[in-house]
Amino acid sequence: MTDDSKAIVPVWTLATGDVRVPVLTGDEPMTPERLAELRGVLAALADAPIATLEAHPLPEKVDRSRGISLDAASPLAQHLSQLIAQTTQGSSKAAAVTASGEGLYRMVIPAKVAAQVAQGIVSPMGSKAVAGGVHGAFQDATGKIVAQATLVPVGQVAAAGAAGGAGATAAVAGSVALTVAAPLVLMAVAVGVSAHADRQRQQAIERITELLEQLTEDKLNDERRELDGCRFAIDKATAILLDQGKLGVSLGLDSAAHAIGKALIDADERLGRWRDALDKLPDGKPVEIATLAKSFPGIDDHGGTFRTHLEIAALAIALQRRVIVLQAVEHAQSDPDNLFENFTRELKRDQQRLDEMESGIAGVLVRLSALELARPGGRRPVFTGNEVDRLMRVAHRIRRLGEGVTTTGRAADVAIEIARDKDGSVVVFPALAA
């Protein structure tokens, strides 16, 4: 994309069912702010989930290793190709932008809908994580932010394909043109959420590996290996489901789910012990380091068992997020006439326990970060410089436990970015807060 106010960005309004909403926009260009308002209004008025899909130029450099690759024959790639082919026939501007066959397609799901399909899964990423993302689509070659593009709605075209297909357009007199694309939205959400959860797994593994280098506890290392080994079965199951295949026992997904379940039980028991330990501390009084280290071993060190337990819990949660998405996709594909309702119902079913666990761990970290440390006990009125330095060092580490803790707040729009190559293959990047 160039820094040019005449740059054209086609925008599709996608519905996951036959809905009717008032006319909110015609074929006139829109600003990004106007598009955001439109998404919110459509989400509020429509009974079925509404999303928008923007077609941006593909950046010269895109880190495809962060996403999930699907070939041109995959259902998601085919649905996207079908949408482009059938809807751009009625829009010369959209046809011109998509003529090369490649591009970065950005699907944005409003907060209302995101709360249904991705609550607890997608959360805002920090600047460091975003810098490693694919937002180059909104920058020029020098990294300068470009926000001058003209957003052009893709107008109504003749209905194509069966209702619920990737190219069926639902529009009646007095309503806005909505392309019914439930399979496309379903697959994009499934792959984007799965990629996001796998990104969390990778980050947790990196931190666990670093922490275990400072420990000699074989049990923790075994826990890490068993959990990380589950990803092979999950990766295979993801690939099969995204190709609309059937899962079999030979994949080992049942064994992986069992191992993840055991890890979650361990994490829940540890969370209970941490809460009990904090409840037993005297209110409003300083706590000695030695007392704290009994319940939170290694909290006074750079690594430590406690921090490793935190990362193992994060790893188990990330893996379970992917399993939940697999279960939801499998269930939704078993009833293709009712994709999104089944999909959201399955996602919600097991998410609550994970959300509660993450919230509980966050609460423990916040409580720990607020503790005041006492000086070492003893009869000496004066303490050595080393003792003072250690007290300050540990206090600083404990305060930092509360940094970066994500607390549940107002739901944000969820963005899923899809890089499409000329051969029709796609790479779906981790879903993130728009």
Side-chain angles (χ1 to χ4, degrees), residues 70-320:
L70 301 172
D71 61 34
S74 66
L76 173 58
Q78 289 183 339
H79 286 311
L80 181 58
S81 296
Q82 182 185 356
L83 174 75
I84 296 169
Q86 295 177 347
T87 59
T88 54
Q89 296 173 6
S91 173
S92 59
K93 294 179 179 178
V97 173
T98 60
S100 68
E102 64 179 13
L104 186 78
Y105 291 83
R106 189 170 192 260
M107 183 181 293
V108 181
I109 303 172
K112 174 185 175 182
V113 181
Q116 298 172 352
V117 301
Q119 183 177 4
I121 296 180
V122 178
S123 58
M125 292 184 176
S127 58
K128 182 177 180 181
V130 169
V134 293
H135 286 281
F138 309 106
Q139 301 173 350
D140 61 18
T142 65
K144 179 181 178 182
I145 297 296
V146 178
Q148 302 299 320
T150 300
L151 298 164
V152 179
V154 178
Q156 179 182 358
V157 298
T169 299
V172 295
S175 69
V176 65
L178 298 172
T179 302
V180 181
L184 176 59
V185 177
L186 165 70
M187 299 302 285
V189 172
V191 185
V193 168
S194 184
H196 176 86
D198 193 57
R199 180 67 175 168
Q200 290 180 316
R201 179 199 64 80
Q202 294 175 22
Q203 293 172 341
I205 282 292
E206 291 171 1
R207 292 190 293 262
I208 291 171
T209 301
E210 180 182 352
L211 290 170
L212 286 175
E213 289 177 353
Q214 305 166 37
L215 296 172
T216 57
E217 295 190 34
D218 292 337
K219 184 177 182 298
L220 292 179
N221 203 24
D222 289 342
E223 287 186 42
R224 188 266 302 171
R225 281 198 296 263
E226 185 174 12
L227 274 179
D228 196 36
C230 296
R231 71 182 178 91
F232 297 109
I234 294 174
D235 287 345
K236 291 176 184 177
T238 301
I240 289 175
L241 275 182
L242 294 180
D243 286 336
Q244 291 188 328
K246 298 294 183 182
L247 298 182
V249 179
S250 62
L251 288 176
L253 190 59
D254 289 345
S255 299
H258 178 67
I260 296 169
K262 284 171 49 182
L264 289 173
I265 291 174
D266 290 340
D268 193 50
E269 291 178 352
R270 287 164 180 161
L271 175 59
R273 291 197 295 269
W274 296 337
R275 283 172 164 166
D276 290 342
L278 288 171
D279 290 340
K280 292 177 182 178
L281 296 177
D283 293 334
K285 294 183 179 180
V287 182
E288 290 191 9
I289 297 175
T291 301
L292 204 58
K294 289 179 181 178
S295 300
F296 304 90
I299 195 173
D300 53 335
D301 295 326
H302 176 67
T305 302
F306 171 63
R307 285 178 172 81
T308 306
H309 283 162
L310 288 175
E311 297 302 338
I312 288 177
L315 174 59
I317 290 172
L319 288 169
Q320 183 65 9

